[in-house]
């Protein structure tokens, strides 16, 4: 069922495509469901795009070539303030073609900067309000010791929050990827939202147990892979770490003298690695949704997950996995008491059906149609009220 059959034209606006992470995969799946193009500020070099989705880079040359490209290229896990500000400002007018669509689904926080025409319905899927501005603000600030730098960062963050909240006025419907993010949107934006789990893509399956635990993600501080490595450094169990990022060299140093820990870097066939694992270990800090957890459960693998964020919701203790607190000792204890015979792969997969692509498609279509109908009705009522005032 395509959006055209409802007589509604749709587009997806994703801020930029620096790689193929969870946000980018969400934008692609949304475009497939709605039979819609994706508009984005730029596509980074080396990013492989699917042939069945139309991607329209709005300012590719500015962000990837010449002097401006060197200043604005994606660096440091996306924390280049020049690039972030530039993308936000460029998104305000974005692309002339966008104004022609009935519905715009915005993916990622910066896409909210787009200023829509009055008659356009906007659904915003932020994945989370920018965490460095809100729930992780104090933690990020504590990493800077110099008073002058801290003052400048506080001023920058305060100004950026004003811009971020100002853009909320352009949104008809906020959409959260989990109950946790729904609560953040309510807390920081004072707006209600609808929960729509992102879909699990890829071929996730169970192909037995080769006797190793696996963890994978972007290797950044908030994913806390270092905690997992430290825990397994004191165990006899094997650990396989998959992923790349700013923490990779530090993790390799930690694991250098540990024969039971292997870092594979980025791999194309993560599904195959997970299929032969005993269980998946996941320790992110207050995770928004946790695609890793959803993918693990979709493969029928138990999830040993930290008792924080949405990961807490994915782990039904003793049914889909085991929880641990965010300490090395707690994780070690969880691994030591873990018994794969206590878990039923079929029951785990049934739990993961909430992340199924078909469920996502049905819920997205219903949400887009309902939101557009409600927004159009409100606009019509306002117009009628205005006419009535003029008559009198």
């Amino acid at each position: 069922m395509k959006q055209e059959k409802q007589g509604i034209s749709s587009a997806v606006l994703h801020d930029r495509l620096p790689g193929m992470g969870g946000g980018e995969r969400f934008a692609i799946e949304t475009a497939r469901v709605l039979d819609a193009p994706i508009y984005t500020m730029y596509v980074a070099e080396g990013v492989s795009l699917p042939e069945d989705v139309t991607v329209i880079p709005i300012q590719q040359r500015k962000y990837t070539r010449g002097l401006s490209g060197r200043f604005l290229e994606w660096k440091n896990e996306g924390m280049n303030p020049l690039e972030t500000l530039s993308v936000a400002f460029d998104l305000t007018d974005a692309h002339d073609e966008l104004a022609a669509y009935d519905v715009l689904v915005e993916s990622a926080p910066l896409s909210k900067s787009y200023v829509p025409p009055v008659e356009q319905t906007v659904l915003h899927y932020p994945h989370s309000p920018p965490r460095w501005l809100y729930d992780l603000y104090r933690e990020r600030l504590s990493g800077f010791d110099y008073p002058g730098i801290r003052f400048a960062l506080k001023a920058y963050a305060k100004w950026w929050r004003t811009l971020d909240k100002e853009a909320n006025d352009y949104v008809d419907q906020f959409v959260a990827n989990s109950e946790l993010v729904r609560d953040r949107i309510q807390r920081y934006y004072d707006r209600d939202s609808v929960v729509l789990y992102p879909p699990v893509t890829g071929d996730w399956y169970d192909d037995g147990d080769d006797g190793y635990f696996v963890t994978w993600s972007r290797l950044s501080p908030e994913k806390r892979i270092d905690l997992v490595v430290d825990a397994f450094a004191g165990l006899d169990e094997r650990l396989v770490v998959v992923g790349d990022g700013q923490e990779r060299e530090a993790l390799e140093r930690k694991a250098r003298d540990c024969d039971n820990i292997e870092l594979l870097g980025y791999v194309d066939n993560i599904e195959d690695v997970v299929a032969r694992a005993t269980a998946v270990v996941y320790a992110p800090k207050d995770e928004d949704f946790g695609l890793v957890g959803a993918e693990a459960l979709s493969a029928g693998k138990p999830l040993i997950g930290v008792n924080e964020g949405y990961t807490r919701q994915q782990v039904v203790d003793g049914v889909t996995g085991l929880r641990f607190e965010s300490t090395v000792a707690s994780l070690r204890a969880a691994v030591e008491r873990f018994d794969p015979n206590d878990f039923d792969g079929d029951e785990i997969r049934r739990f993961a059906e909430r992340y199924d692509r078909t469920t996502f498609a049905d819920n997205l279509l219903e949400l887009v149609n309902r939101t557009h109908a409600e927004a159009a009705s409100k606009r019509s009522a306002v117009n009628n009220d205005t006419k009535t005032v003029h008559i009198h």
Side-chain angles (χ1 to χ4, degrees):
M1 178 169 140
K2 299 296 185 183
Q3 204 64 26
E4 289 177 356
K5 295 182 181 180
Q6 300 293 320
I8 300 173
S9 61
S10 305
V12 177
L13 180 62
H14 185 72
D15 55 9
R16 69 277 229 219
L17 280 157
M20 201 52 68
E24 288 71 33
R25 290 197 292 271
F26 167 83
I28 288 169
E29 288 302 311
T30 299
R32 285 174 172 150
V33 171
L34 300 179
D35 195 18
I38 298 173
Y39 289 79
T40 189
M41 200 49 60
Y42 67 92
V43 181
E45 184 178 355
V47 174
S48 179
L49 299 174
E51 295 181 358
D52 63 324
V53 173
T54 299
V55 178
I56 303 170
I58 299 170
Q59 294 210 39
Q60 182 73 6
R61 180 177 292 275
K62 173 181 176 180
Y63 288 90
T64 60
R65 301 175 190 172
L67 184 61
S68 65
R70 285 194 288 274
F71 277 112
L72 299 171
E73 66 180 335
W74 187 267
K75 293 179 179 177
N76 191 27
E77 303 294 340
M79 293 305 292
N80 177 347
L82 290 176
E83 189 264 2
T84 303
L85 281 172
S86 181
V87 169
F89 289 154
D90 285 340
L91 279 168
T92 58
D93 54 350
H95 198 295
D96 290 343
E97 292 177 7
L98 282 171
Y101 293 95
D102 298 315
V103 173
L104 188 64
V105 178
E106 298 173 340
S107 167
L110 291 182
S111 61
K112 189 177 59 175
S113 304
Y114 169 70
V115 181
V118 172
E119 65 276 8
Q120 191 171 58
T121 301
V122 175
L123 295 89
H124 183 65
Y125 197 97
H127 302 283
S128 180
R131 301 193 66 187
W132 72 275
L133 286 178
Y134 299 107
D135 62 302
L136 294 182
Y137 170 67
R138 290 177 179 81
E139 178 180 310
R140 294 290 174 86
L141 196 65
S142 67
F144 298 90
D145 296 330
Y146 298 104
I149 294 177
R150 287 172 63 89
F151 179 81
L153 287 173
K154 286 181 179 181
Y156 177 72
K158 186 174 182 61
W159 174 71
W160 189 262
R161 281 192 209 99
T162 301
L163 292 179
D164 182 52
K165 293 185 178 184
E166 177 186 89
N168 292 341
D169 294 340
Y170 309 141
V171 176
D172 292 289
Q173 177 66 65
F174 277 90
V175 188
N177 61 11
S178 69
E179 289 79 4
L180 174 66
V181 171
R182 178 195 62 196
D183 294 344
R184 286 185 194 156
I185 290 171
Q186 179 64 51
R187 173 67 175 178
Y188 300 125
Y189 294 159
D190 195 25
R191 292 285 297 270
D192 294 330
S193 58
V194 175
V195 175
L196 177 66
Y197 297 128
V200 168
T201 60
D203 182 20
W204 298 94
Y205 65 102
D206 185 351
D207 193 27
D209 181 354
D210 281 355
Y212 60 84
F213 295 79
V214 63
T215 187
W216 81 98
S217 71
R218 184 179 71 256
L219 302 185
S220 57
E222 63 268 21
K223 299 299 182 180
R224 293 195 295 213
I225 304 297
D226 58 337
L227 185 152
V228 180
V229 169
D230 285 341
F232 275 81
L235 296 171
D236 292 331
E237 303 288 352
R238 290 174 58 203
L239 173 70
V240 173
V241 180
V242 178
D244 205 350
Q246 68 188 87
E247 296 280 284
R248 182 171 178 177
E249 290 185 7
L251 292 170
E252 287 175 340
R253 287 194 296 271
K254 277 180 176 287
R256 188 169 294 156
D257 298 325
C258 301
D259 294 337
N260 64 319
I261 300 175
E262 182 180 8
L263 275 75
L264 299 183
Y266 175 80
V267 300
D268 290 322
N269 60 332
I270 183 61
E271 294 96 332
D272 297 340
V273 177
V274 174
R276 302 294 302 174
T278 301
V280 173
V281 182
Y282 198 40
K285 182 176 180 61
D286 289 325
E287 185 66 282
D288 311 328
F289 170 70
L291 193 58
V292 167
E295 290 167 340
L297 299 174
S298 296
K301 295 294 182 177
L303 179 64
I304 302 176
V306 68
N307 190 31
E308 290 181 12
Y310 185 66
T311 307
R312 164 191 299 139
Q313 308 297 325
Q314 292 175 321
V315 179
V316 179
D317 217 44
V319 178
T320 64
L322 296 177
R323 295 180 189 157
F324 63 91
E325 302 305 321
S326 57
T327 66
V328 168
S330 181
L331 175 52
R332 282 180 182 166
V335 174
E336 288 171 342
R337 74 174 185 272
F338 176 81
D339 183 346
N341 295 320
D342 292 341
F343 298 91
D344 182 341
D346 291 335
E347 188 171 9
I348 293 172
R349 278 186 287 271
R350 282 193 294 272
F351 179 89
E353 287 176 359
R354 66 193 66 192
Y355 311 127
D356 182 75
R357 296 171 80 173
T358 301
T359 302
F360 168 77
D362 291 343
N363 291 339
L364 175 62
L365 284 168
E366 190 277 331
L367 178 60
V368 166
N369 288 320
R370 172 163 51 84
T371 301
H372 182 60
E374 291 174 353
S377 177
K378 288 179 182 177
R379 287 191 290 267
S380 177
V382 169
N383 289 337
N384 289 336
D385 288 345
T386 303
K387 292 176 182 178
T388 301
V389 169
H390 286 170
I391 291 173
H392 290 292

